[in-house]
Amino acid sequence: MITRKEIADIIFPDVKETIQDLEKKYPPRANPICSRYAPSPTGFVHIWNIYAAFIEQKFAKQPGGTFFLRIEDTDQKREVEWAVNKIISWLKYFGIQIDEWPIGENNSDIGNYWPYTQSHRKDIYNVFAKYLLENGLAYPCWMTPEELEVIREQQTKTKVTPGIYGNYSVWRNKTLEEIMAQLQVNKDFVIRFRSPSEMGKRIVFEDVIKGKIETMDNCNDIVLIKSDDLPTYHLAHIADDYLMRVSHVIRGEERFASVPLHLQLFKSFNLPAPQYCHVAPLLKLDNGNKRKLSKRHDPEADILFFFENGYATQWIIEYLLTIIDPWFEEWQKINPDKSYLDFEIHLEKMPKSGALFDLVKLQSVNNNYISRISTDELYEQSLNRALKYRPELAKLMQTDIPYVKAAMNIERHTTKDPKRFTTYADVETQVKFFFDDERTKLQNSKPALPEICTAEVMKPFVDEYGQAIDLSMSVEEWFAQLKEIWKKYGFAANNAEFKEWWYIGKTWDLAMFLRIQLCCAAQTPDLYSVMQVMGKERIMKRLSNI
Ligand code: GLU
């Protein structure tokens, strides 16, 4: 009589170890709190990934536990090493420290629970799969894609729950003899889980973030080992998170529906399940409706967006903290001297279904932050960003550093501070025009001058004002002088004057003329300060170039 052990030995002839042997290699951790970040190495980092990785790390490190990085590359045909290095540097960049990770020096793993790359863990998965085969908890399945398609169509037509279960599974109830016979002639099979549940059964479990959940149990015989001999996510999750001693599986909501299956699998192995914590997606407001922040449609889903556009990592993390717990903002006000890293997070308080990622709110966080830092720091950070993403701008910023800093400094740290900088990229609009070549480039796109400000009207004013400019004047003296001169050329000081008298234009027209001529824009920093920074010669050149 054929035994299950014989079948398992034929399928996994090289597997000699047992799960107990593996358990000895990877003993429980001294501090049992452990979480992990487990990305697939696609090279794309979604802002949600940083959100989740930050939560995972913070949660584990608060009580002195472990946080590690595991690379889930069993579906991946791309170059993994490149993507992994990228992931590691992104985490570092955001200050998310990892205790254990793949690819240290000489491509070795850092940490005792290695390997940290799933494609290097095949032998481990095979031990787990063999155990299930030996115990009749899984079976090989030779159903072809065509057979599966026929079943899928039939289930759709008859509105039956889709999947391979019960009588839909051709190989679930075959005898060991039939399986042995098939094994002799065809090696192309998958290994399916033999689900212990049946249609219609419900289960209750606890999710740390979502709370108590009652849902349909899993009755599907899902694939555990694919025909390419690699495990599916489900088997890898059980083997990895158990042996790597993960206490809290903090992961995306898209995995939530698999919890009943995962609980069944843990039970089949007689292993304790970890605590599940499903992090809700980040949402975007789109025409009044909330929808998932999408990699395809929303540039801000890509972490690169923030760097190109001059955001600092700290602002992003601080903003994410307000999503994790709205109390964070209040806490910051009460504890102005503490670092945002001192704030404790609580998984139970996190959003349960979806959280709005509001770029406008993030920008206001940035804006406040930049208004507080020194102009030297603003210069340094803006230059760093320009060096990486706008080399031409960086060159410009380095040609006359005191001039750039003076231009940046206008009205900063004053009571009137208009907070001109929202990101480090705003140098483009706030400073570039101070340079003559840039101003020339902007000439074609500058707004139209007010109608009354023709060359004929303005030339005599500019000639006289040019003679009179004195940058040592106070702002009051400067304004009084300007008013006196422009009055001569027909510009009223206010609306009332304009209506009653012979004036051809108003202060508004004049101010607009100055703004557009000096800065090529209708909205500019304070004109007096702009002129102080530009100097007389430059002002004259710009004003007379009508
Ligand atoms: N590699 C999986 C993913 O990127 C990880 C899910 C998990 O954290 O368990 O979706």
Side-chain angles (χ1 to χ4, degrees), residues 149-162:
E149 183 55 26
V150 169
I151 291 178
R152 204 187 57 81
E153 272 175 19
Q154 192 191 337
Q155 289 173 333
T156 314
K157 227 189 267 163
T158 51
K159 296 201 171 74
V160 167
T161 310

Side-chain angles (χ1 to χ4, degrees), residues 36-40 49 56 70 72 233 237 241 249-252 254-255:
R36 81 304 191 265
Y37 174 46
S40 300
N49 292 122
E56 288 153 3
R70 181 175 69 229
E72 307 216 322
Y233 170 79
H237 155 54
D241 284 324
V249 169
I250 305 175
R251 61 185 181 185
E254 64 280 6
R255 304 286 175 188

Side-chain angles (χ1 to χ4, degrees), residues 383-443:
L383 179 64
N384 284 344
R385 176 243 165 209
L387 283 168
K388 197 150 178 217
Y389 297 105
R390 299 280 187 278
E392 291 287 304
L393 174 65
K395 224 156 102 192
L396 198 66
M397 290 177 73
Q398 288 167 309
T399 51
D400 186 348
I401 298 172
Y403 183 53
V404 174
K405 286 190 181 174
M408 283 182 154
N409 203 33
I410 292 175
E411 287 187 294
R412 281 171 48 73
H413 307 130
T414 66
T415 45
K416 279 199 300 186
D417 189 351
K419 299 188 178 168
R420 292 158 54 211
F421 293 85
T422 294
T423 72
Y424 296 133
D426 286 339
V427 195
E428 312 250 3
T429 51
Q430 295 293 334
V431 174
K432 242 170 142 179
F433 66 82
F434 278 85
F435 288 90
D436 294 334
D437 287 349
E438 294 304 314
R439 193 233 176 215
T440 310
K441 283 186 218 156
L442 289 168
Q443 280 285 58

Side-chain angles (χ1 to χ4, degrees), residues 327-384:
W327 159 247
F328 172 67
E329 278 178 280
E330 223 23 63
W331 177 89
Q332 250 190 337
K333 279 186 207 140
I334 302 170
N335 300 286
D337 300 329
K338 287 203 174 162
S339 155
Y340 64 100
L341 294 171
D342 296 329
F343 183 72
E344 266 204 26
I345 65 163
H346 302 276
L347 297 181
E348 327 71 75
K349 282 188 169 184
M350 283 182 45
K352 299 195 186 321
S353 48
L356 195 62
F357 182 82
D358 184 354
L359 208 51
V360 177
K361 174 108 194 276
L362 169 59
Q363 284 166 352
S364 92
V365 172
N366 305 349
N367 197 254
N368 278 326
Y369 180 90
I370 296 194
S371 73
R372 292 197 304 266
I373 61 174
S374 71
T375 299
D376 282 348
E377 188 180 343
L378 172 61
Y379 173 82
E380 289 305 325
Q381 299 292 355
S382 306
L383 179 64
N384 284 344

Side-chain angles (χ1 to χ4, degrees), residues 152-309:
R152 204 187 57 81
E153 272 175 19
Q154 192 191 337
Q155 289 173 333
T156 314
K157 227 189 267 163
T158 51
K159 296 201 171 74
V160 167
T161 310
I164 300 304
Y165 55 89
N167 291 336
Y168 290 111
S169 178
V170 177
W171 290 89
R172 181 181 166 101
N173 296 320
K174 293 273 191 211
T175 62
L176 294 176
E177 284 68 25
E178 284 170 312
I179 287 177
M180 182 62 99
Q182 182 73 358
L183 266 181
Q184 308 303 327
V185 293
N186 189 343
K187 299 271 174 249
D188 202 10
F189 57 88
V190 300
I191 296 179
R192 281 186 188 277
F193 180 47
R194 187 189 297 278
S195 169
S197 194
E198 63 216 39
M199 186 61 72
K201 226 177 120 191
R202 296 182 76 76
I203 60 157
V204 178
F205 63 90
E206 194 86 22
D207 182 280
V208 179
I209 296 175
K210 291 179 173 295
K212 199 172 184 172
I213 302 288
E214 191 195 322
T215 185
M216 209 61 130
D217 201 1
N218 169 65
C219 65
N220 249 315
D221 288 358
I222 56 97
V223 175
L224 297 176
I225 300 270
K226 299 176 285 182
S227 54
D228 61 4
D229 293 344
L230 285 170
T232 55
Y233 170 79
H234 310 293
L235 180 65
H237 155 54
I238 308 299
D240 292 344
D241 284 324
Y242 176 65
L243 290 177
M244 296 169 120
R245 305 293 178 173
V246 172
S247 63
H248 290 72
V249 169
I250 305 175
R251 61 185 181 185
E253 192 163 82
E254 64 280 6
R255 304 286 175 188
F256 182 66
S258 301
V259 174
L261 162 69
H262 296 162
L263 292 175
Q264 285 178 352
L265 280 165
F266 274 108
K267 207 159 166 204
S268 302
F269 290 111
N270 257 325
L271 299 176
Q275 301 258 14
Y276 284 109
C277 322
H278 289 89
V279 179
L282 293 175
L283 309 177
K284 177 176 174 125
L285 209 52
D286 187 0
N287 280 328
N289 297 318
K290 284 185 193 164
R291 61 162 175 77
K292 213 165 146 176
L293 196 61
S294 129
K295 169 176 165 178
R296 245 191 309 140
H297 303 297
D298 308 314
E300 71 270 32
D302 185 348
I303 202 68
L304 283 179
F305 166 89
F306 297 95
F307 294 101
E308 282 181 30
N309 289 290

